Amino acid sequence: MRFVLLLIYITLSFNLHGQTFYEVDIDDRNLAIELNKEAEKFLNENRVKTALDRLLESISVDSVLRESYLLIYQLWLAEKSYTETIATVIYKGKQIFNDDDELCFYYAELLRFQSMLPEAILEYTNAMNYARRNGEDFYLVHYYYLNRGNCFLSMNMEDGALADFNYALKLKPDFTAALCGRGVCLFRKGNKDKACTDWQQALKLGYAPVKQYIDKYCK
């Protein structure tokens, strides 16, 4: 189940049989929702710093409103200069929502952007493990495998990358970025013909970046 139902009564957290439950004051929840709405408005107006300030305030008021973490990641996609701050916030979110594959994936993306590849691989793996329980039909799951595969590829670990690209294609057979990555793996492993087949299929499906490999290696 991807969404956590929270009872809103009074600020409190406690632990029962190893699981932490959170309750939030209704006024704090309403304030956090309003701050999120303001942040979204400012983000749409490209007032990124103001939007970030609103989101940080929202999370300070109510740290268990999941939508705040999703929105702050969308802010990061628009503006990378706040990477360290946003990574800290997303880490906090995934500690609260500790079986949330989506938040693990976002944290992995932030780590990968900072070239922290072993740490990113661990977080992608966490995301994959949670997705097996939460449901692999979620629209982002094939990206978990693609981007862990890209990390493996960057570290010259072609076997791991190949397994991830294969699984990404199992989840989404027309996934052109995975076809491109698998082609690179196959080429590095000495299987030029299969590599070119993957690249040509990706190009046929409209993935223009793969043309550089076809022009260079498949003539």
Side-chain angles (χ1 to χ4, degrees), residues 75-90:
L75 185 149
W76 176 75
L77 292 177
E79 177 54 68
K80 302 298 194 295
S81 61
Y82 303 110
T83 295
E84 290 188 12
T85 297
I86 292 173
T88 300
V89 172
I90 296 292

Side-chain angles (χ1 to χ4, degrees), residues 58-98:
S58 173
I59 291 166
S60 176
V61 168
D62 178 2
S63 63
V64 293
L65 180 58
R66 183 176 181 271
E67 288 76 10
S68 303
Y69 301 100
L70 304 184
L71 189 54
I72 206 166
Y73 181 77
Q74 294 305 312
L75 185 149
W76 176 75
L77 292 177
E79 177 54 68
K80 302 298 194 295
S81 61
Y82 303 110
T83 295
E84 290 188 12
T85 297
I86 292 173
T88 300
V89 172
I90 296 292
Y91 180 80
K92 176 179 180 177
K94 82 182 193 71
Q95 296 298 106
I96 294 170
F97 301 96
N98 55 21

Side-chain angles (χ1 to χ4, degrees), residues 17 24 122 142 145 182 190:
H17 301 306
V24 182
L122 176 61
H142 53 286
Y145 290 88
R182 187 171 72 176

Side-chain angles (χ1 to χ4, degrees), residues 25-38:
D25 182 85
I26 187 66
D27 292 332
D28 288 343
R29 172 54 53 92
N30 288 336
L31 175 57
I33 290 171
E34 286 303 312
L35 288 166
N36 281 4
K37 289 178 181 177
E38 291 180 14

